[in-house]
Structure formats: structure tokens, C-alpha cells
Amino acid sequence: MLRLGRYFSLLLLVLSAAAFARGVTPYLPLNLDPEVEREVERVLVLGDKPVMTRPIPAALVLDALPKACRRDAPLCERVRSYLRLYMHGAGIEFASLEASASGGRGNPVMPDQHGETEQSHYQAAAAAYLQPSDYLLLGVGGIAYQGRFTPTGSVLSLGFNWAQLDLGWRDHWWSPMTDSSMLLSTEAPTMPSVTLSNYTPLTRLGLQYEIFAARMSKSDKIELTNGTLTTGYPKVAGLHLGLEPIPGWSIAASRILVFGGGAAGGQSIGDVFQAFFNPSKAQSTGFGTEHVVGKQEASVTSRFIFPGPVPFAVYMEYAGNDTDAGRNYLLGKPDLSVGVHFPRLGPFDLTFENSYWAPTWYVHGYTPVQTGYGDGITNDGLSFGHWFGDQRVFGDAVGGRSDLVRLGWEPAFGGRFEAQLRALVNDSYYSAIAYRHEYMASVSYSRPWREYVVGTEIDAGRDVFGGRYSRFAAFMRYGDALHAGGGSAAADDALGERRSDHAELFVDAGVAFSRVQISLNGVAPVEQTSFKAEPHIGFGARREASAHQDLGFRVEADDIDGRPLYTFRALDYRYRFDNPLALSLFGGAARYNLTTPAYGFVFGAGVQWRNLLPGWDLGLDYLYGIKVARLREPNDTSSGTRPDSFYNIDRVTLYLSRKF
């Protein structure tokens, strides 16, 4: 009876909290309706809502509208009109039909399109919903293209704004990047999953979380720790935690774990949690259990929105698919991605993104303590991370880089043009395969017609094997955010308003004194260079977090021991005293351009004398790069206890900062 009383008290507590909670929210289409998605992205930047995961909750967009409307009322009205589709007891959220004709030898997988290839001749997608209660929502949807159907969007949701449970085919995208999410994306068909998350930030720190578990496609190449094969359905589970302590700035950490399948299954929740929170031991020595875990990946991400006459968002992802040096907090074989999005440059919007990654992503063989996956970290044979995973010979653990430039234009006569160019390089330094540089270009035009958006798209390019392709598509989508027309003069005037005194851009220039401690292979003696003076430049933005505190983002370039070092401060914190002094703390990631590039975390602190001259600050910073690591050259045959080299970097910088 005592236990029953406790359960009853807990139930009353939950019901009491629910009385003051908002209900569940539907999600907007993800990489299915570009016109709407671009408009929503712009609203979120103008509304100071840094998005770290997708699909985007409709309730989050509603919350961003009031602030965004003060900057661009026509854009706001278009998005508000679209969101009305979700404000009934039942209705159609989205419907799209596309027909295409293609030519050429190349047939690459289209990036982030749920597995569709350039040679597919059609795509049909739709989603509808029924919401009998604020706390219960049933979605029915699907995506079909040549050779595959997936019930994406078929989801049962129940709960509250602080704990929404989603059961079904729900997409997951864990990155602020819009084109290249390393851990989870829409590159592969959607997996059935169970997800618990919140769409309203919790506490003053703006805590956001997402927990999920999903079932991958069937594989007959699951390798047990003795190398024998078994058949089954591997699982993937993950945890995402984010903070948004001030409007417009967010930082997050994520980890996913691939495990089980067939005879490799049988893990308890305790086994999974133990591996999740102690990945170094799980990957090196195991826990002495029969059912051991498989592959792990993790990332640290940030997104910063700068308000002003030309607002923009700048964002970063630092991810690893292994641990390093036996330490759980060091990400091995990493990726470093950065991006910037200008939601309005006159009638244009512009996005640029860049990614560099080390070898071994999405490839995982067995070890004496880890399950291996001969089909890779895939679903239906397709990577569920960055799209580069499907632009190579299957199983080739090659490193490389990708770039994206996307330009949108809303002409005065209506509709929307969008041009997009992707480039990919599989670095031949890591592979014997003679890959070609890949280029993927597309141009589209869409405009409203009655209750629909109609348009065309032309794709052309060359894949990594030299195969050229072209594609012409025509599409019609139900429901649109284009009917209200393009940006108005009033919107342009609003965007030209004077920037707040509490947000500023700045450029740094000075001299850096640097040295490097080098551990090549664990056997050779540790080397240390002497301090050398080299020029330093940087660019950044910051905004006020309180009367004495600022938060921002900064990019720096240095020359250390004859090699370029690029530093990205995901956290750039400054405390201003009532006198001219200010103290700063910062952390982020760096890329050190050696023969094979090295990546790692950097931390530091500094002091500033503000307004030494009007608009000029004098700064002194200390930076420490901890075990910035690179894989040794493939032709390096020297003995060693590990495959990578470590570089500890010390840098002291004296600089002048010009504020704008």
C-alpha cells in the first residue's frame, strides 16, 4: 500500500504539472519542402532562435514569430500562413509530387534526400495528422521514390512541451549544419524509433534534451568479437544535451552508440549506459560481458546569431567517431565543420558551409571487445550521417572535405530562385582509389499557383568516379509560404535599423608567440619547439548576455612552426568590469595544417583593456591546444604504439581589436 501511495502521489504530481504545460507539437518537413524550410530558417535567425536539432517543432517557429515580425513582416506573414495548416484538429501538413528525367553515367545518392538517387524518375511525399487532444497527436506520412517507400512522418506523439514522446518513423538531425550532419541526418531512409525530447527550454540555462533509440535495417554482416558473422537488426541510441543561456546563442553535446543485432544482441540498459558514459574502456578493453557494444560517435556543436542591420548565424560542429589517448573527453578521428547563414542580403539569402573529416567514418570492423558491422554504420546500405559516406567505394575509410554554397533570390515578379553548389574531395592521401573531385550543382525556381507551389529544378554534376549526370525535374507541392510575395521596402528598412549598442563585430590583428610539444608515435622522444613570434589575425562577433557579460564567436588564423593553425571559438565569453578591464574565457576546436591535418580542442583565457582608443581594445590571450591529433601518414612505417601523433600547442597573443 505504501508503494501504491507513492505511485499515486507521482501520478498526481505529473497531472498537476501537465495542467500548466503546453501540449505536443508537430514537426515541419525535413529536406522535403525547400521553399518552406528556407523561410523558416530565416524566421528563426531573425527571431533569435538557434536551432541545434531537426526536424523543427512548429511550436518553436510560432515562438520566434513575434520578434522576427519586427524585422521582416512580409516573411513573417508567409510563415504564419503556412503554420495555419497545423492549427486544426486534423489536416494535411504537407504533400509533394515530383517527376524527373535524367541522363549520363553518374547516379550518385542525392545529399540528405532519404536515400533517393539522381536517376530516380519520381518522388512522392505527404503527411497528415489527427490531434484529438492537446497532448496526443497522430501523424501519418511517407516518402516514395524509385525502388523504395518509407513511412517517414508516421508518428504517434504524446506528452507535454517538456517531455514529448514520439513513437514511429521520426527523422533525427543532430547538428546546426544544414547540409552535413555527421552523427544523424536524412541521408538514409528514416528508421523506426522511440524519442523523448522537449521543445521548450528548461531552467534559466535553457536546457534542451533529446533521447532516442532506433532499429537499423537487417544485416547479415554483423561481426562478433571472434570474427564470426551473425544476422540481425543492429540498434542505435543517442543522447543530445544543449544549453541556450541567452537568446541567440546555444551550445550542445551529443553521443550515439550502435550496438547489438543477432547474436551480438542481449545488452541490458546498464550495459548500454556503461558503454555510453565510459566509451574509452568500452572501445579498448571492454567490460567483460558476453554482449559487448559496437561503434560510438560524439559531437560538440554551437550556434551564434548576430543581430544587426545584416543579421547572420554562424555555427560549428566538432565530431569524433572514436576516443583518443584513452580519454573519454577527447574525440578521435574527428570532423570539423563550420557554416554561416545570412537570412537576408537585400532580396538574397546566402549560406556557406565547409567540413573536413579524418578517415574511418561510418566504417567499423570487429575487435576482441567490440562488435563489427560489415555493412558499415548505415541503414538500408546508406550512411545516416554526412552525405559523403555514400560518395565513395563502399567500406573505404577515406578522409576528405566538402563545401556548400547556397544562394536564394526572391525577384520582384514573385517566386523564388535557388542556386546550390556542392563540392567533395575524397583525399587520395588516405586511399589507393583514384577518386575524382565531385561537383553537384542545382538551380530551381518555384512560385505560388492557387493552393500550391509549382516549379522546376535542374541538376548537373560529376561524381567521385568521373561519371557525369544531369537531371530535370518538375514539382508541385501543397501548402506554401510564398503567396504573400517577396520582401517589401518596409522590411528592408527594418533590416537597416541601427544595430544595438550591445552587439558588435570586431577584427583582431597582432603578434602570437607559439610553441608546440610533439609526440609522434608513443615511442620516439617528445619534442618541443621554442617560442616563435608570428602574425595573428582574427574576426568575431559578440552580443551582451547581461550588464557585465558578453557571449560570442571568433575565428582566428596563426602560423605555428611554419604551419597554419585555424581556431574556432565556439564559446567566447567576456566579463566587463566597471573600469576599462575585461576578462575572457574561451573554448573551441582547431585545425592544424600538417602533412595530414590535425584536429583538437582548444581552451584559453585573456584580459582586455577596452577603448584604449575610441573603438579600439588592447588584448592579451593565452591558448592551449590539448593533444591536437592527426593520423600518421599512410607511408609512415616507423614503429609506434599508436597510429596518430599528438601536438600540445601553447600560444600567447598580443593584439589590437577594432570594433564596428
Side-chain angles (χ1 to χ4, degrees):
M1 290 297 293
L2 181 60
R3 182 179 299 176
L4 185 61
R6 290 172 180 167
Y7 290 153
F8 183 70
S9 299
L10 179 61
L11 178 61
L12 287 178
L13 181 63
V14 171
L15 292 176
S16 175
F20 299 98
R22 297 165 66 183
V24 297
T25 179
Y27 299 100
L28 303 187
L30 180 56
N31 290 320
L32 292 172
D33 192 347
E35 295 79 24
V36 169
E37 294 177 54
R38 303 294 182 260
E39 299 282 66
V40 167
E41 289 280 352
R42 293 164 69 184
V43 161
L44 293 172
V45 172
L46 297 178
D48 255 355
K49 295 290 186 181
V51 174
M52 303 294 280
T53 64
R54 294 173 176 81
I56 295 171
L60 179 66
V61 185
L62 279 174
D63 292 342
L65 283 176
K67 192 168 187 177
C69 286
R70 296 197 295 268
R71 307 301 306 275
D72 193 333
L75 169 67
C76 216
E77 181 54 38
R78 297 198 297 271
V79 173
R80 193 189 303 275
S81 175
Y82 173 77
L83 291 178
R84 291 191 184 104
L85 295 173
Y86 295 83
M87 297 179 181
H88 308 286
I92 298 175
E93 302 174 13
F94 162 76
S96 173
L97 182 63
E98 179 180 283
S100 63
S102 57
R105 294 189 300 110
N107 187 28
V109 178
M110 298 169 66
D112 307 322
Q113 292 300 301
H114 299 84
E116 186 177 5
T117 67
E118 291 285 351
Q119 297 286 354
S120 174
H121 294 307
Y122 69 90
Q123 185 203 75
Y129 69 94
L130 173 66
Q131 188 164 13
S133 162
D134 286 346
Y135 307 104
L136 178 64
L137 175 68
L138 174 63
V140 179
I143 304 170
Y145 51 82
Q146 195 163 324
R148 183 179 283 119
F149 169 79
T150 307
T152 301
S154 297
V155 179
L156 175 65
S157 301
L158 58 157
F160 321 101
N161 57 331
W162 46 267
Q164 177 166 327
L165 181 66
D166 299 316
L167 309 170
W169 283 262
R170 176 197 189 277
D171 282 325
H172 297 85
W173 182 289
W174 282 7
S175 175
M177 310 295 292
T178 63
D179 187 62
S180 54
S181 176
M182 292 300 292
L183 270 59
L184 295 165
S185 75
T186 59
E187 174 70 5
T190 309
M191 296 177 284
S193 63
V194 178
T195 306
L196 184 68
S197 63
N198 67 319
Y199 64 85
T200 298
L202 303 175
T203 76
R204 291 184 178 181
L205 292 176
L207 175 65
Q208 296 173 312
Y209 72 89
E210 186 173 313
I211 306 168
F212 88 102
R215 191 191 75 171
M216 298 161 61
S217 57
K218 189 174 184 179
S219 172
D220 59 4
K221 298 179 182 177
I222 303 170
E223 302 166 302
L224 302 179
T225 53
N226 60 7
T228 60
L229 299 180
T230 184
T231 299
Y233 295 89
K235 275 78 71 179
V236 56
L239 171 65
H240 167 91
L241 293 174
L243 297 176
E244 187 185 342
I246 67 167
W249 183 83
S250 187
I251 191 165
S254 306
R255 183 182 291 279
I256 67 170
L257 172 67
V258 178
F259 61 96
Q267 291 87 354
S268 67
I269 294 178
D271 291 338
V272 174
F273 268 87
Q274 189 177 18
F276 192 87
F277 290 104
N278 193 356
S280 179
K281 181 174 176 58
Q283 294 174 347
S284 58
T285 62
F287 298 107
T289 62
E290 178 184 355
H291 301 290
V292 292
V293 299
K295 185 69 169 176
Q296 295 208 37
E297 298 171 357
S299 69
V300 177
T301 55
S302 72
R303 187 176 180 96
F304 173 78
I305 296 174
F306 180 77
V310 183
F312 62 88
V314 60
Y315 39 95
M316 185 200 82
E317 176 181 47
Y318 183 65
N321 75 112
D322 201 349
T323 56
D324 223 344
R327 302 183 184 182
N328 291 331
Y329 59 88
L330 293 180
L331 303 183
K333 305 176 183 64
D335 160 86
L336 179 58
S337 301
V338 294
V340 60
H341 174 214
F342 293 91
R344 182 173 286 284
L345 293 170
F348 302 100
D349 63 89
L350 176 66
T351 301
F352 172 75
E353 297 184 4
N354 168 266
S355 297
Y356 281 87
W357 58 90
T360 75
W361 277 91
Y362 316 130
V363 176
H364 184 56
Y366 80 95
T367 73
V369 297
Q370 278 190 282
T371 301
Y373 296 95
D375 287 325
I377 309 304
T378 65
N379 185 53
D380 283 340
L382 297 164
S383 164
F384 50 73
H386 192 303
W387 53 269
F388 87 79
D390 300 316
Q391 312 295 324
R392 58 185 180 176
V393 172
F394 183 82
D396 186 20
V398 66
R401 70 179 188 271
S402 68
D403 297 280
L404 165 79
V405 178
R406 182 191 299 129
L407 180 67
W409 175 42
E410 296 178 1
F413 55 80
R416 175 183 171 84
F417 283 99
E418 182 170 288
Q420 191 165 253
L421 176 64
R422 291 181 175 94
L424 171 72
V425 177
N426 284 334
D427 197 336
S428 60
Y429 205 88
Y430 298 110
S431 175
I433 299 169
Y435 290 113
R436 304 287 297 278
H437 289 194
E438 180 174 80
Y439 300 99
M440 311 178 81
S442 67
V443 178
S444 65
Y445 175 69
S446 54
R447 63 177 298 115
W449 177 69
R450 297 183 180 179
E451 296 181 348
Y452 305 91
V453 166
V454 295
T456 61
E457 179 176 313
I458 300 173
D459 298 348
R462 182 184 70 188
D463 65 24
V464 294
F465 307 109
R468 299 184 182 275
Y469 67 91
S470 59
R471 177 175 176 270
F472 175 81
F475 56 83
M476 175 183 290
R477 302 193 234 278
Y478 170 75
D480 70 90
L482 299 174
H483 273 296
S488 67
D492 291 338
D493 290 344
L495 285 168
E497 67 185 10
R498 181 175 179 269
R499 179 170 57 248
S500 166
D501 291 335
H502 307 304
E504 60 190 20
L505 301 171
F506 56 90
V507 176
D508 300 336
V511 59
F513 301 88
S514 308
R515 71 177 180 185
V516 184
Q517 188 181 74
I518 306 168
S519 176
L520 287 177
N521 53 24
V523 174
V526 174
E527 304 174 25
Q528 182 168 284
T529 66
S530 57
F531 276 104
K532 296 180 182 178
E534 301 287 353
H536 167 87
I537 58 173
F539 171 79
R542 64 172 67 98
R543 58 187 296 168
E544 184 179 275
S546 70
H548 289 278
Q549 301 177 89
D550 300 322
L551 283 171
F553 187 96
R554 194 179 311 193
V555 180
E556 300 170 301
D558 296 279
D559 188 273
I560 295 185
D561 199 28
R563 300 283 189 165
L565 174 75
Y566 301 102
T567 305
F568 302 88
R569 298 190 187 184
L571 168 65
D572 195 12
Y573 168 81
R574 184 176 74 167
Y575 185 89
R576 291 173 278 106
F577 295 95
D578 292 328
N579 54 44
L581 286 178
L583 298 178
S584 63
L585 294 172
F586 57 87
R591 183 177 194 269
Y592 190 24
N593 277 17
L594 300 164
T595 307
T596 53
Y599 304 87
F601 286 117
V602 294
F603 306 93
V607 61
Q608 274 191 338
W609 186 278
R610 296 181 294 119
N611 296 314
L612 179 68
L613 297 172
W616 293 84
D617 297 339
L618 178 65
L620 180 67
D621 285 350
Y622 170 73
L623 173 145
Y624 178 61
I626 179 172
K627 292 192 179 297
V628 178
R630 70 178 180 97
L631 287 179
R632 290 155 55 193
E633 294 90 333
N635 58 0
D636 185 350
T637 58
S638 62
S639 62
T641 59
R642 58 173 191 262
D644 43 14
S645 300
F646 294 128
Y647 301 80
N648 290 343
I649 299 172
D650 293 281
R651 189 197 72 189
V652 178
T653 309
L654 180 65
Y655 61 94
L656 281 172
S657 184
R658 177 70 172 96
K659 300 176 291 188
F660 301 95

